[in-house]
């Protein structure tokens, strides 16, 4: 039996079957007490209880149903089977590394990383609630993948020209307005589906992002604080929107792109009835010629690539895209910033900086 005092001075004890286990545990416990991060088992809870506590907080915070469902799946299918009954006070960094290795073995790498992120959030919340003194998972990270993250691939300029020509010629003015706005604004599909006419200034050519629609068609705030933004529109997008406004049926939410019943348009209908057919009619298809070549996110990439080509600075592009941090912008489009500058331009810039003249 190990008899000791915790960091509050309270006397504690813990029993073991073997002396060497007791000695090893005592050495670690006394180190934790000195650092103020020791949690007695009797003051802790197990992972399952901590997960329920965290999920309840996520629901109270009003996160989107799809997000909550994903977190619940992480907990039920991947976290609890490995360590649901383990007390938080007993979890060590090596144990977390072992859980991660198991997830990497059983799941795709992106899913394993998301599960680890959820696990870290559970432990952080438990720490903040006083059920454990530290989050031992914070420093655990998966080894870098041998292959880099897939880079954003915007539509080619040739394809964009064909699509925009189809926008001008189609009789489906709703599809024309959606595609044109997507290409010129870089808006997320959820933001397009939740867009209200009150947020469009067609006289001055700009759009204010103030809400979005989730997967179930519920209107709510943008994805993050950075999602609130103003985006200038080109004359082509403004023209398409003006034409559509004359035909847009009235609806209770004053939506720019309502469904046939006047509700929020689903993403499936958006692609299968509007954006997809316009591409197919223009010959912009995947191999086989039956499916559209690009999804909505590709048009968001298109806007970013065009802004980068026009030499807009990265901070401005971050703002236009609604990214929460400049890191996201560079992680997604860093290769496009590099491609925008030719070697000759780089050499000329150095010459100008050193000698005040171009090479």
């Amino acid at each position: 039996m190990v008899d000791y005092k915790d960091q509050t001075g309270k006397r504690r004890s813990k029993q073991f079957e073997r002396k060497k286990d007791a000695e090893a545990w005592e050495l670690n416990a006394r180190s934790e007490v000195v650092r103020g991060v020791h949690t007695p088992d009797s003051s802790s809870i197990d992972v399952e209880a901590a997960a329920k506590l965290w999920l309840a907080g996520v629901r109270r915070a009003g996160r989107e149903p799809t997000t909550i469902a994903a977190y619940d799946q992480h907990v039920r299918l991947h976290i609890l089977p490995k360590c649901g009954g383990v007390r938080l006070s007993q979890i060590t960094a090596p144990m977390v590394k072992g859980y991660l290795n198991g997830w990497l073995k059983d799941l795709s790498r992106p899913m394993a990383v998301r599960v680890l992120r959820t696990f870290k959030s559970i432990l952080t919340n438990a720490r903040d609630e006083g059920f454990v003194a530290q989050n031992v998972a914070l420093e655990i990270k998966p080894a870098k993948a041998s292959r880099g993250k897939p880079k954003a691939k915007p539509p080619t300029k040739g394809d964009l020209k064909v699509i925009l020509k189809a926008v001008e010629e189609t009789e489906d003015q709703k599809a024309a307005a959606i595609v044109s706005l997507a290409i010129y604004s870089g808006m997320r599909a959820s933001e397009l589906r939740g867009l209200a006419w009150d947020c469009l200034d067609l006289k001055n050519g700009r759009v204010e992002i103030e809400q979005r629609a989730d997967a179930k068609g519920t209107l709510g705030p943008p994805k993050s604080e950075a999602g609130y933004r103003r985006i200038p529109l080109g004359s082509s997008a403004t023209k398409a929107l003006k034409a559509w406004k004359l035909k847009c049926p009235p609806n209770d939410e004053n939506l720019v792109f309502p469904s046939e019943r006047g509700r929020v348009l689903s993403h499936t209908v958006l692609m299968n009835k509007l954006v997809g057919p316009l591409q197919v009619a223009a010959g912009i298809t995947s191999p086989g010629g039956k499916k559209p070549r690009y999804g909505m996110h590709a048009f968001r990439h298109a806007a970013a690539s065009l802004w980068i080509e026009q030499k807009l600075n990265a901070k401005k592009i971050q703002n236009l895209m609604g990214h929460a941090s400049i890191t996201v912008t560079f992680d997604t489009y860093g290769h496009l910033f590099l491609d925008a500058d030719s070697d000759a331009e780089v050499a000329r810039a150095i010459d100008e900086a050193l000698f005040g003249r171009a090479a």
Side-chain angles (χ1 to χ4, degrees):
M1 182 178 72
V2 176
D3 186 78
Y4 71 104
K5 288 183 179 180
D6 65 19
Q7 56 258 38
T8 66
K10 187 174 181 178
R11 190 172 181 177
R12 304 279 184 179
S13 65
K14 186 175 176 66
Q15 293 183 329
F16 298 84
E17 291 185 3
R18 300 187 301 176
K19 182 180 179 180
K20 67 176 184 179
D21 292 338
E23 290 174 341
W25 186 90
E26 181 184 24
L27 183 64
N28 182 66
R30 293 195 185 283
S31 173
E32 290 180 344
V33 169
V34 170
R35 291 182 285 123
V37 295
H38 178 68
T39 304
D41 289 349
S42 59
S43 301
S44 185
I45 57 176
D46 62 22
V47 172
E48 183 174 7
K52 289 179 179 178
L53 188 68
W54 176 73
L55 283 171
V58 171
R59 293 188 180 95
R60 286 195 301 272
R63 299 295 296 273
E64 292 187 9
T66 51
T67 299
I68 295 173
Y71 290 154
D72 183 68
Q73 183 186 64
H74 296 170
V75 170
R76 286 187 300 102
L77 302 183
H78 310 302
I79 294 176
L80 297 189
K82 285 195 178 297
C83 56
V86 180
R87 285 188 177 273
L88 302 184
S89 56
Q90 298 172 344
I91 294 177
T92 63
M95 290 170 67
V96 178
K97 183 65 175 177
Y99 301 152
L100 173 59
N101 290 340
W103 293 325
L104 287 169
K105 179 181 178 181
D106 299 335
L107 309 171
S108 68
R109 182 182 174 83
M111 175 59 79
V113 171
R114 289 194 290 271
V115 172
L116 175 64
R117 191 180 301 130
T118 294
F119 188 64
K120 288 182 177 181
S121 296
I122 291 170
L123 296 190
T124 295
N125 182 69
R127 181 199 63 192
D128 295 344
E129 295 286 347
F131 292 109
V132 69
Q134 62 178 328
N135 184 347
V136 297
L138 286 180
E139 299 302 319
I140 303 301
K141 298 177 182 178
K144 291 184 178 180
S146 58
R147 297 181 63 182
K149 179 181 178 181
K151 297 177 179 179
K153 293 184 179 180
T156 65
K157 276 191 175 181
D159 285 351
L160 286 176
K161 289 178 180 179
V162 172
I163 291 170
L164 289 174
K165 184 172 180 59
V167 163
E168 294 179 354
E169 297 176 350
T170 184
E171 295 182 358
D172 189 340
Q173 293 176 322
K174 186 176 184 179
I178 288 175
V179 173
S180 184
L181 182 57
I183 292 173
Y184 282 98
S185 72
M187 291 170 63
R188 298 178 175 93
S190 60
E191 294 167 345
L192 288 165
R193 293 168 49 237
L195 182 65
W197 284 111
D198 295 340
C199 295
L200 274 170
D201 181 351
L202 298 181
K203 180 179 179 181
N204 295 303
R206 59 194 180 200
V207 57
E208 299 271 355
I209 311 302
E210 296 181 353
Q211 65 182 21
R212 64 191 287 264
D214 67 14
K216 293 187 176 182
T218 302
L219 296 173
K223 189 174 182 180
S224 66
E225 191 66 28
Y228 291 96
R229 62 199 189 279
R230 175 187 294 176
I231 306 172
L233 299 177
S235 58
S236 297
T238 303
K239 180 181 177 182
L241 285 162
K242 285 180 177 178
W244 166 239
K245 189 173 185 179
L246 297 175
K247 292 189 174 183
C248 179
N251 58 91
D252 293 341
E253 299 290 349
N254 199 28
L255 296 170
V256 177
F257 305 114
S259 69
E260 292 183 358
R261 296 185 178 183
R263 300 172 185 171
V264 174
L265 189 68
S266 74
H267 191 280
T268 300
V269 172
L270 176 71
M271 278 301 302
N272 294 349
K273 300 294 184 181
L274 298 164
V275 178
L278 187 144
Q279 291 185 63
V280 173
I284 305 298
T285 62
S286 58
K290 294 182 179 181
K291 295 183 178 180
R293 187 174 302 168
Y294 301 112
M296 292 302 297
H297 212 67
F299 297 131
R300 181 165 161 80
H301 291 331
S305 67
L306 292 171
W307 288 329
I308 291 170
E309 187 175 301
Q310 294 304 310
K311 307 296 185 183
L312 269 67
N313 68 65
K315 197 66 182 175
K316 179 64 176 178
I317 293 173
Q318 175 198 347
N319 175 262
L320 291 171
M321 297 298 287
H323 288 156
S325 73
I326 194 69
T327 302
V328 176
T329 307
F330 280 126
D331 282 350
T332 309
Y333 301 111
H335 60 294
L336 297 181
F337 281 101
L338 294 175
D339 292 345
D341 294 313
S342 69
D343 291 343
E345 287 174 324
V346 173
R348 184 165 58 250
I350 294 174
D351 249 349
E352 289 176 349
L354 291 175
F355 307 112
R357 59 177 174 76

